[in-house]
Amino acid sequence: GNPSASLELCDVLWEQPVLEFRQISAYILGLIDPPSFNSIIERIKLFIDEKTEDKLIDELLINGLATARINHPRSLYTLIDDWFETKDPFFLKIGLRTLIPFSKEEGIKNLPIIYKLIQPYVRNHSLEFFPDLTELIDVLAHQSPQETGHFLSQTLELTNSPDTAILIRQCINSFPPDIQSSLRNDLRRFRDQQIGL
């Protein structure tokens, strides 16, 4: 089809303050593969703000970025990075939620980039990000238990904050038994160090 006509259609549908029209807009957005991916990113940034309802945010992040995840992963990382850079809790949450469907894609080749992006939040996070972080770690644990276990273990070594330990305890059952037992040992060591401080 014609990407610019499809993008215009998305804009027209989004301008209608009707949930179903906006859901269709998000869906169409995910089908378009324009020559410049920026036109998709611009709309995602424009459509998502603190007034956008949760259901629609998920539609935009899951459906609206469907083609992006396959064809433009690099642009998507830049977008997530931009959201993390704002340090605004709302956009930090959006960044984490964008990584969840991304991490579910089969044969994920970008684990090191994902770990690098989320490490600061695994080390120190506020309660409002906890559900999204937990969901993301669960997905990563199923996709790649060995690497994700190693990542959590390393992060725990680098931090004095109890946040990482709390997150590991919450997600530990998502790992196979051998990695669970290794993480439990790490948690015991961490606890003993904390007591020894």
mmCIF file of all heavy atoms in Angstrom, residues 129-163:
data_model
loop_
_atom_site.group_PDB
_atom_site.id
_atom_site.type_symbol
_atom_site.label_atom_id
_atom_site.label_comp_id
_atom_site.label_asym_id
_atom_site.label_seq_id
_atom_site.Cartn_x
_atom_site.Cartn_y
_atom_site.Cartn_z
ATOM 1 N N PHE A 129 7.270 0.865 39.274
ATOM 2 C CA PHE A 129 7.812 0.118 38.128
ATOM 3 C C PHE A 129 7.879 -1.374 38.406
ATOM 4 O O PHE A 129 8.170 -2.152 37.513
ATOM 5 C CB PHE A 129 9.242 0.578 37.780
ATOM 6 C CG PHE A 129 9.355 2.051 37.619
ATOM 7 C CD1 PHE A 129 10.372 2.763 38.233
ATOM 8 C CD2 PHE A 129 8.427 2.745 36.863
ATOM 9 C CE1 PHE A 129 10.457 4.131 38.092
ATOM 10 C CE2 PHE A 129 8.509 4.113 36.717
ATOM 11 C CZ PHE A 129 9.527 4.810 37.331
ATOM 12 N N PHE A 130 7.645 -1.756 39.649
ATOM 13 C CA PHE A 130 7.888 -3.142 40.045
ATOM 14 C C PHE A 130 7.086 -4.152 39.215
ATOM 15 O O PHE A 130 7.644 -5.126 38.710
ATOM 16 C CB PHE A 130 7.627 -3.302 41.544
ATOM 17 C CG PHE A 130 8.135 -4.592 42.103
ATOM 18 C CD1 PHE A 130 9.501 -4.838 42.200
ATOM 19 C CD2 PHE A 130 7.263 -5.580 42.524
ATOM 20 C CE1 PHE A 130 9.990 -6.039 42.697
ATOM 21 C CE2 PHE A 130 7.733 -6.779 43.031
ATOM 22 C CZ PHE A 130 9.103 -7.010 43.115
ATOM 23 N N PRO A 131 5.763 -3.925 38.995
ATOM 24 C CA PRO A 131 4.994 -4.909 38.202
ATOM 25 C C PRO A 131 5.533 -5.068 36.777
ATOM 26 O O PRO A 131 5.608 -6.189 36.260
ATOM 27 C CB PRO A 131 3.574 -4.329 38.178
ATOM 28 C CG PRO A 131 3.523 -3.393 39.339
ATOM 29 C CD PRO A 131 4.905 -2.843 39.515
ATOM 30 N N ASP A 132 5.932 -3.942 36.142
ATOM 31 C CA ASP A 132 6.429 -4.019 34.756
ATOM 32 C C ASP A 132 7.797 -4.693 34.714
ATOM 33 O O ASP A 132 8.066 -5.511 33.826
ATOM 34 C CB ASP A 132 6.515 -2.615 34.143
ATOM 35 C CG ASP A 132 5.150 -1.943 34.127
ATOM 36 O OD1 ASP A 132 4.262 -2.468 33.440
ATOM 37 O OD2 ASP A 132 4.963 -0.934 34.812
ATOM 38 N N LEU A 133 8.647 -4.357 35.686
ATOM 39 C CA LEU A 133 9.974 -4.988 35.747
ATOM 40 C C LEU A 133 9.849 -6.490 35.970
ATOM 41 O O LEU A 133 10.534 -7.286 35.343
ATOM 42 C CB LEU A 133 10.771 -4.390 36.911
ATOM 43 C CG LEU A 133 11.790 -3.301 36.592
ATOM 44 C CD1 LEU A 133 12.465 -2.833 37.880
ATOM 45 C CD2 LEU A 133 12.831 -3.746 35.587
ATOM 46 N N THR A 134 8.947 -6.861 36.880
ATOM 47 C CA THR A 134 8.735 -8.277 37.191
ATOM 48 C C THR A 134 8.273 -9.022 35.944
ATOM 49 O O THR A 134 8.786 -10.095 35.620
ATOM 50 C CB THR A 134 7.671 -8.428 38.304
ATOM 51 O OG1 THR A 134 8.017 -7.584 39.376
ATOM 52 C CG2 THR A 134 7.584 -9.848 38.809
ATOM 53 N N GLU A 135 7.316 -8.435 35.238
ATOM 54 C CA GLU A 135 6.796 -9.085 34.027
ATOM 55 C C GLU A 135 7.909 -9.244 32.983
ATOM 56 O O GLU A 135 8.043 -10.288 32.338
ATOM 57 C CB GLU A 135 5.626 -8.270 33.459
ATOM 58 C CG GLU A 135 4.885 -9.017 32.371
ATOM 59 C CD GLU A 135 3.713 -8.226 31.776
ATOM 60 O OE1 GLU A 135 3.224 -7.257 32.414
ATOM 61 O OE2 GLU A 135 3.294 -8.586 30.663
ATOM 62 N N LEU A 136 8.722 -8.186 32.846
ATOM 63 C CA LEU A 136 9.815 -8.216 31.872
ATOM 64 C C LEU A 136 10.844 -9.285 32.233
ATOM 65 O O LEU A 136 11.274 -10.063 31.375
ATOM 66 C CB LEU A 136 10.470 -6.828 31.805
ATOM 67 C CG LEU A 136 11.637 -6.650 30.839
ATOM 68 C CD1 LEU A 136 11.262 -7.061 29.415
ATOM 69 C CD2 LEU A 136 12.127 -5.207 30.853
ATOM 70 N N ILE A 137 11.224 -9.369 33.511
ATOM 71 C CA ILE A 137 12.213 -10.379 33.942
ATOM 72 C C ILE A 137 11.636 -11.785 33.742
ATOM 73 O O ILE A 137 12.339 -12.703 33.311
ATOM 74 C CB ILE A 137 12.646 -10.162 35.410
ATOM 75 C CG1 ILE A 137 13.367 -8.816 35.576
ATOM 76 C CG2 ILE A 137 13.529 -11.318 35.902
ATOM 77 C CD1 ILE A 137 14.697 -8.676 34.888
ATOM 78 N N ASP A 138 10.334 -11.960 34.029
ATOM 79 C CA ASP A 138 9.693 -13.271 33.802
ATOM 80 C C ASP A 138 9.809 -13.687 32.328
ATOM 81 O O ASP A 138 10.122 -14.829 32.014
ATOM 82 C CB ASP A 138 8.214 -13.241 34.211
ATOM 83 C CG ASP A 138 8.033 -13.259 35.728
ATOM 84 O OD1 ASP A 138 8.977 -13.666 36.439
ATOM 85 O OD2 ASP A 138 6.956 -12.861 36.202
ATOM 86 N N VAL A 139 9.540 -12.732 31.432
ATOM 87 C CA VAL A 139 9.616 -13.013 29.991
ATOM 88 C C VAL A 139 11.057 -13.377 29.609
ATOM 89 O O VAL A 139 11.311 -14.362 28.908
ATOM 90 C CB VAL A 139 9.142 -11.786 29.164
ATOM 91 C CG1 VAL A 139 9.463 -11.958 27.690
ATOM 92 C CG2 VAL A 139 7.642 -11.565 29.346
ATOM 93 N N LEU A 140 12.023 -12.575 30.098
ATOM 94 C CA LEU A 140 13.433 -12.818 29.769
ATOM 95 C C LEU A 140 13.904 -14.164 30.331
ATOM 96 O O LEU A 140 14.679 -14.875 29.708
ATOM 97 C CB LEU A 140 14.312 -11.679 30.309
ATOM 98 C CG LEU A 140 14.126 -10.315 29.629
ATOM 99 C CD1 LEU A 140 14.815 -9.220 30.422
ATOM 100 C CD2 LEU A 140 14.657 -10.334 28.192
ATOM 101 N N ALA A 141 13.384 -14.506 31.525
ATOM 102 C CA ALA A 141 13.763 -15.778 32.154
ATOM 103 C C ALA A 141 13.272 -16.958 31.322
ATOM 104 O O ALA A 141 13.953 -17.978 31.213
ATOM 105 C CB ALA A 141 13.189 -15.851 33.568
ATOM 106 N N HIS A 142 12.094 -16.823 30.714
ATOM 107 C CA HIS A 142 11.583 -17.906 29.866
ATOM 108 C C HIS A 142 12.325 -17.955 28.533
ATOM 109 O O HIS A 142 12.571 -19.025 28.001
ATOM 110 C CB HIS A 142 10.072 -17.751 29.640
ATOM 111 C CG HIS A 142 9.283 -18.157 30.849
ATOM 112 N ND1 HIS A 142 8.592 -17.249 31.632
ATOM 113 C CD2 HIS A 142 9.122 -19.360 31.446
ATOM 114 C CE1 HIS A 142 8.023 -17.893 32.645
ATOM 115 N NE2 HIS A 142 8.331 -19.171 32.551
ATOM 116 N N GLN A 143 12.668 -16.778 28.011
ATOM 117 C CA GLN A 143 13.351 -16.715 26.712
ATOM 118 C C GLN A 143 14.780 -17.243 26.826
ATOM 119 O O GLN A 143 15.256 -17.939 25.948
ATOM 120 C CB GLN A 143 13.413 -15.257 26.206
ATOM 121 C CG GLN A 143 12.124 -14.742 25.654
ATOM 122 C CD GLN A 143 11.822 -15.315 24.281
ATOM 123 O OE1 GLN A 143 12.445 -16.267 23.823
ATOM 124 N NE2 GLN A 143 10.835 -14.752 23.619
ATOM 125 N N SER A 144 15.453 -16.830 27.880
ATOM 126 C CA SER A 144 16.873 -17.144 27.993
ATOM 127 C C SER A 144 17.269 -17.246 29.462
ATOM 128 O O SER A 144 17.853 -16.318 30.021
ATOM 129 C CB SER A 144 17.648 -16.038 27.282
ATOM 130 O OG SER A 144 18.973 -16.422 27.161
ATOM 131 N N PRO A 145 16.918 -18.382 30.111
ATOM 132 C CA PRO A 145 17.104 -18.498 31.557
ATOM 133 C C PRO A 145 18.560 -18.336 32.007
ATOM 134 O O PRO A 145 18.841 -17.641 32.975
ATOM 135 C CB PRO A 145 16.584 -19.896 31.888
ATOM 136 C CG PRO A 145 16.304 -20.577 30.598
ATOM 137 C CD PRO A 145 16.252 -19.552 29.534
ATOM 138 N N GLN A 146 19.475 -18.936 31.232
ATOM 139 C CA GLN A 146 20.900 -18.904 31.622
ATOM 140 C C GLN A 146 21.423 -17.463 31.669
ATOM 141 O O GLN A 146 21.972 -17.013 32.678
ATOM 142 C CB GLN A 146 21.698 -19.717 30.593
ATOM 143 C CG GLN A 146 22.999 -20.286 31.110
ATOM 144 C CD GLN A 146 22.770 -21.492 32.026
ATOM 145 O OE1 GLN A 146 21.982 -22.373 31.693
ATOM 146 N NE2 GLN A 146 23.431 -21.510 33.165
ATOM 147 N N GLU A 147 21.250 -16.745 30.555
ATOM 148 C CA GLU A 147 21.764 -15.365 30.473
ATOM 149 C C GLU A 147 21.074 -14.447 31.471
ATOM 150 O O GLU A 147 21.702 -13.594 32.073
ATOM 151 C CB GLU A 147 21.573 -14.786 29.059
ATOM 152 C CG GLU A 147 22.523 -15.313 28.027
ATOM 153 C CD GLU A 147 22.028 -16.586 27.373
ATOM 154 O OE1 GLU A 147 21.137 -17.279 27.913
ATOM 155 O OE2 GLU A 147 22.544 -16.900 26.292
ATOM 156 N N THR A 148 19.745 -14.627 31.624
ATOM 157 C CA THR A 148 19.006 -13.733 32.520
ATOM 158 C C THR A 148 19.400 -13.993 33.975
ATOM 159 O O THR A 148 19.557 -13.055 34.758
ATOM 160 C CB THR A 148 17.483 -13.889 32.303
ATOM 161 O OG1 THR A 148 17.207 -13.650 30.916
ATOM 162 C CG2 THR A 148 16.692 -12.899 33.139
ATOM 163 N N GLY A 149 19.600 -15.269 34.316
ATOM 164 C CA GLY A 149 20.065 -15.606 35.662
ATOM 165 C C GLY A 149 21.423 -14.978 35.930
ATOM 166 O O GLY A 149 21.666 -14.394 36.990
ATOM 167 N N HIS A 150 22.322 -15.072 34.941
ATOM 168 C CA HIS A 150 23.667 -14.508 35.063
ATOM 169 C C HIS A 150 23.593 -12.985 35.224
ATOM 170 O O HIS A 150 24.290 -12.387 36.053
ATOM 171 C CB HIS A 150 24.487 -14.887 33.828
ATOM 172 C CG HIS A 150 25.877 -14.350 33.839
ATOM 173 N ND1 HIS A 150 26.821 -14.749 34.769
ATOM 174 C CD2 HIS A 150 26.485 -13.423 33.059
ATOM 175 C CE1 HIS A 150 27.958 -14.090 34.551
ATOM 176 N NE2 HIS A 150 27.767 -13.281 33.515
ATOM 177 N N PHE A 151 22.725 -12.362 34.420
ATOM 178 C CA PHE A 151 22.542 -10.905 34.485
ATOM 179 C C PHE A 151 22.084 -10.476 35.886
ATOM 180 O O PHE A 151 22.615 -9.529 36.471
ATOM 181 C CB PHE A 151 21.520 -10.476 33.418
ATOM 182 C CG PHE A 151 20.902 -9.119 33.654
ATOM 183 C CD1 PHE A 151 21.658 -7.957 33.511
ATOM 184 C CD2 PHE A 151 19.562 -8.996 34.010
ATOM 185 C CE1 PHE A 151 21.092 -6.697 33.734
ATOM 186 C CE2 PHE A 151 18.989 -7.754 34.228
ATOM 187 C CZ PHE A 151 19.759 -6.595 34.090
ATOM 188 N N LEU A 152 21.098 -11.186 36.455
ATOM 189 C CA LEU A 152 20.582 -10.825 37.783
ATOM 190 C C LEU A 152 21.649 -11.041 38.852
ATOM 191 O O LEU A 152 21.808 -10.220 39.768
ATOM 192 C CB LEU A 152 19.327 -11.639 38.107
ATOM 193 C CG LEU A 152 18.072 -11.277 37.307
ATOM 194 C CD1 LEU A 152 16.936 -12.244 37.624
ATOM 195 C CD2 LEU A 152 17.625 -9.840 37.573
ATOM 196 N N SER A 153 22.376 -12.136 38.704
ATOM 197 C CA SER A 153 23.424 -12.466 39.663
ATOM 198 C C SER A 153 24.508 -11.368 39.654
ATOM 199 O O SER A 153 24.947 -10.892 40.703
ATOM 200 C CB SER A 153 23.998 -13.818 39.276
ATOM 201 O OG SER A 153 25.123 -14.098 40.015
ATOM 202 N N GLN A 154 24.904 -10.941 38.451
ATOM 203 C CA GLN A 154 25.911 -9.874 38.315
ATOM 204 C C GLN A 154 25.402 -8.561 38.892
ATOM 205 O O GLN A 154 26.130 -7.842 39.574
ATOM 206 C CB GLN A 154 26.223 -9.659 36.833
ATOM 207 C CG GLN A 154 27.350 -10.513 36.320
ATOM 208 C CD GLN A 154 27.795 -9.996 34.949
ATOM 209 O OE1 GLN A 154 26.957 -9.619 34.120
ATOM 210 N NE2 GLN A 154 29.091 -9.976 34.712
ATOM 211 N N THR A 155 24.150 -8.247 38.597
ATOM 212 C CA THR A 155 23.576 -6.985 39.070
ATOM 213 C C THR A 155 23.530 -6.972 40.600
ATOM 214 O O THR A 155 23.803 -5.953 41.225
ATOM 215 C CB THR A 155 22.161 -6.772 38.474
ATOM 216 O OG1 THR A 155 22.246 -6.894 37.061
ATOM 217 C CG2 THR A 155 21.616 -5.392 38.814
ATOM 218 N N LEU A 156 23.205 -8.108 41.175
ATOM 219 C CA LEU A 156 23.136 -8.219 42.641
ATOM 220 C C LEU A 156 24.511 -7.941 43.250
ATOM 221 O O LEU A 156 24.621 -7.294 44.288
ATOM 222 C CB LEU A 156 22.636 -9.611 43.031
ATOM 223 C CG LEU A 156 22.250 -9.822 44.499
ATOM 224 C CD1 LEU A 156 21.080 -8.917 44.892
ATOM 225 C CD2 LEU A 156 21.880 -11.278 44.756
ATOM 226 N N GLU A 157 25.562 -8.422 42.569
ATOM 227 C CA GLU A 157 26.929 -8.195 43.063
ATOM 228 C C GLU A 157 27.306 -6.720 43.025
ATOM 229 O O GLU A 157 28.135 -6.268 43.812
ATOM 230 C CB GLU A 157 27.932 -8.964 42.196
ATOM 231 C CG GLU A 157 28.247 -10.342 42.722
ATOM 232 C CD GLU A 157 29.235 -11.062 41.812
ATOM 233 O OE1 GLU A 157 30.229 -10.434 41.396
ATOM 234 O OE2 GLU A 157 28.989 -12.240 41.513
ATOM 235 N N LEU A 158 26.713 -5.983 42.083
ATOM 236 C CA LEU A 158 27.112 -4.586 41.867
ATOM 237 C C LEU A 158 26.374 -3.601 42.766
ATOM 238 O O LEU A 158 26.628 -2.412 42.703
ATOM 239 C CB LEU A 158 26.826 -4.184 40.408
ATOM 240 C CG LEU A 158 27.631 -4.870 39.327
ATOM 241 C CD1 LEU A 158 27.044 -4.558 37.960
ATOM 242 C CD2 LEU A 158 29.085 -4.415 39.384
ATOM 243 N N THR A 159 25.416 -4.082 43.544
ATOM 244 C CA THR A 159 24.533 -3.138 44.232
ATOM 245 C C THR A 159 24.516 -3.354 45.737
ATOM 246 O O THR A 159 24.761 -4.453 46.216
ATOM 247 C CB THR A 159 23.093 -3.250 43.661
ATOM 248 O OG1 THR A 159 22.294 -2.255 44.288
ATOM 249 C CG2 THR A 159 22.467 -4.611 43.938
ATOM 250 N N ASN A 160 24.231 -2.272 46.455
ATOM 251 C CA ASN A 160 23.988 -2.402 47.908
ATOM 252 C C ASN A 160 22.502 -2.267 48.213
ATOM 253 O O ASN A 160 22.076 -2.389 49.342
ATOM 254 C CB ASN A 160 24.718 -1.291 48.683
ATOM 255 C CG ASN A 160 26.209 -1.424 48.526
ATOM 256 O OD1 ASN A 160 26.732 -2.529 48.559
ATOM 257 N ND2 ASN A 160 26.891 -0.297 48.328
ATOM 258 N N SER A 161 21.737 -1.963 47.148
ATOM 259 C CA SER A 161 20.310 -1.735 47.361
ATOM 260 C C SER A 161 19.572 -3.074 47.442
ATOM 261 O O SER A 161 19.879 -3.995 46.685
ATOM 262 C CB SER A 161 19.777 -0.912 46.192
ATOM 263 O OG SER A 161 18.409 -1.159 46.015
ATOM 264 N N PRO A 162 18.595 -3.182 48.330
ATOM 265 C CA PRO A 162 17.827 -4.432 48.413
ATOM 266 C C PRO A 162 16.877 -4.634 47.224
ATOM 267 O O PRO A 162 16.302 -5.706 47.066
ATOM 268 C CB PRO A 162 17.032 -4.280 49.713
ATOM 269 C CG PRO A 162 16.932 -2.808 49.926
ATOM 270 C CD PRO A 162 18.159 -2.187 49.316
ATOM 271 N N ASP A 163 16.735 -3.619 46.366
ATOM 272 C CA ASP A 163 15.760 -3.702 45.264
ATOM 273 C C ASP A 163 15.994 -4.912 44.365
ATOM 274 O O ASP A 163 15.051 -5.599 43.961
ATOM 275 C CB ASP A 163 15.815 -2.432 44.396
ATOM 276 C CG ASP A 163 15.167 -1.239 45.094
ATOM 277 O OD1 ASP A 163 14.732 -1.407 46.247
ATOM 278 O OD2 ASP A 163 15.101 -0.151 44.490
#
